[in-house]
Amino acid sequence: MAQDSGTRTLISQAQLDRGRGRIIYWTLLAVVVVGFTLVFIGPLYWMVTGALKSGQEIAQTPPSLFPRDPQPQNYVDAWHNLDLAKLLFNTFYYATGAVLFQLVLDTAAAYSLSKLRPIFGNAILGLMLATLMIPAMVLIVPQYVTVIDLPILHLNLLDSPFAIWLPLVANAFNIFLLKRFFDSIPEDLMAAAFVDGATPLRTLWSIILPMSRPILGVVSIFAVTAVWKDFLWPKLVMPSPETRTVSVGIYAFAGGTPMNVVIAASVIAAIPTVVIFLIFQRNIMSGLTTGSLKG
C-alpha cells in the first residue's frame, strides 16, 4: 500500500511512472476492458448478425462469424409477419402507464417516509425491503389469484392494463431509491418552505420534485425496462392476441416462423430500450449516485 496526497491506493504513482509498471497497468486495463466489452456486446452482435443470415446458415455448427449472404429482408418479414407495430404499441402503452403510476405513488410513499416521517415509518420501510428477499416466482400465484378476482371489487383484470400496472406500483426498490435521494435534500429547505406557509404537498411539488429529476428519470427507465423485458407475467394476464406485449407476441409466433425472422423481431424489439439507455445513461448514473453523496 502506498499513500499519495492522503489517498491510499494499491499501486503508488511512482510505480505507475516507471516503464514496466506503466506497461503492466495499461495491459491489464486493456484486457479487462476488452474482456467485459466482448461479454456484453457479444450476444448483441450475434443477435444482429444472426437476423441477417439464412435459415441454413444460422443453424449450422459451428456458427459463422459474419453472414455470408446478408438478408435484410428478414427484418421486413419480421415486422409484417409478427405484426410488431401492434406489439410495440401495446408494450409502449403498458410501459407509459407503469411510469406514471410509479412516479405518482412511489414518489408519494418515499416522500412520506423521508420527510413526513410517520409513526412506524422505519418498520414499514423495513417490511417493504424485506419483500425484496422473496423470489419473484413465489409471488406469481397470489398475484394471479388477486388479478382474476380483485378483492372487495371482485373484478377480473385479465386482458386489462391494470393487471400489469398495479403489481409494478408496489416496488420496494424504487421507493428505497427515491427515499435515499429525498434524504439527501437539506432539511433547511423544508423548514424554509414551512415557514413561508407551504403545505407538505406544495413543498413536494415546488421543491422536492424539481430537485429530484435525476432519480425520477432512473425510476422511469427502470419501469420501462421492467415492462419491456417481462415475459411470464404478461403471458399469464394478457392471453388475448390483441393485448400481448412484444416479448409474448414474438414467443407466440416463434413456433411457425423461421428462426432468423424470430431473431430479427428480437432485434427490433430490443432497439427502443437500447436507444433509451444510450440517451439517458448519464441521467441514470447521476441519479443512482447523487443520493449516496450525503454527508
Side-chain angles (χ1 to χ4, degrees):
M1 302 291 288
Q3 188 171 359
D4 182 29
S5 300
T7 303
R8 300 182 65 85
T9 59
L10 293 175
I11 304 175
S12 67
Q13 188 62 40
Q15 290 176 309
L16 291 178
D17 290 339
R18 297 193 190 104
R20 184 178 178 183
R22 182 180 301 175
I23 293 174
I24 294 175
Y25 172 78
W26 286 110
T27 301
L28 291 176
L29 179 62
V31 169
V32 171
V33 171
V34 171
F36 276 96
T37 301
L38 292 177
V39 168
F40 288 102
I41 300 298
L44 184 62
Y45 171 81
W46 184 92
M47 184 170 65
V48 173
T49 56
L52 296 172
K53 298 177 182 179
S54 64
Q56 294 79 8
E57 185 179 1
I58 201 171
Q60 74 179 22
T61 302
S64 57
L65 188 59
F66 304 100
R68 288 193 293 267
D69 183 21
Q71 300 181 3
Q73 182 64 29
N74 292 337
Y75 287 98
V76 178
D77 294 341
W79 181 265
H80 293 290
N81 296 347
L82 277 67
D83 196 12
L84 283 180
K86 176 65 174 176
L87 297 176
L88 289 172
F89 174 80
N90 290 344
T91 310
F92 180 78
Y93 174 62
Y94 301 146
T96 302
V99 169
L100 294 178
F101 272 100
Q102 288 199 24
L103 287 182
V104 173
L105 299 178
D106 288 1
T107 299
Y111 176 67
S112 175
L113 293 171
S114 175
K115 298 303 182 183
L116 303 184
R117 297 174 182 171
I119 300 175
F120 305 119
N122 290 334
I124 294 173
L125 178 62
L127 292 174
M128 287 183 180
L129 296 178
T131 61
L132 297 176
M133 303 296 105
I134 303 175
M137 293 298 102
V138 176
L139 302 175
I140 290 293
V141 173
Q143 284 181 345
Y144 185 76
V145 172
T146 302
V147 164
I148 62 177
D149 185 14
L150 194 65
I152 301 176
L153 299 178
H154 298 291
L155 297 176
N156 188 332
L157 298 181
L158 293 182
D159 282 326
S160 168
F162 288 96
I164 291 180
W165 293 339
L166 295 182
L168 287 175
V169 169
N171 192 310
F173 180 70
N174 285 344
I175 293 176
F176 176 72
L177 281 181
L178 289 166
K179 180 185 179 301
R180 289 294 300 161
F181 191 94
F182 294 163
D183 287 343
S184 67
I185 296 177
E187 293 292 340
D188 293 343
L189 293 177
M190 301 288 298
F194 290 147
V195 169
D196 291 339
T199 64
L201 183 60
R202 178 69 177 179
T203 304
L204 172 64
W205 181 260
S206 301
I207 297 178
I208 302 298
L209 292 184
M211 298 178 63
S212 305
R213 290 176 182 174
I215 195 64
L216 294 178
V218 171
V219 171
S220 300
I221 293 171
F222 283 172
V224 171
T225 55
V227 173
W228 214 274
K229 71 180 182 180
D230 199 8
F231 171 76
L232 180 57
W233 183 248
K235 180 173 174 57
L236 291 175
V237 300
M238 298 294 177
S240 172
E242 296 298 319
T243 59
R244 288 171 177 164
T245 61
V246 65
S247 58
V248 177
I250 293 175
Y251 172 80
F253 286 102
T257 306
M259 182 57 64
N260 51 352
V261 177
V262 174
I263 296 176
S266 302
V267 173
I268 296 174
I271 289 175
T273 53
V274 174
V275 171
I276 289 174
F277 174 78
L278 293 178
I279 294 176
F280 297 105
Q281 57 179 326
R282 291 186 178 179
N283 301 77
I284 295 174
M285 297 308 301
S286 62
L288 290 176
T289 57
T290 304
S292 64
L293 299 178
K294 182 182 178 182

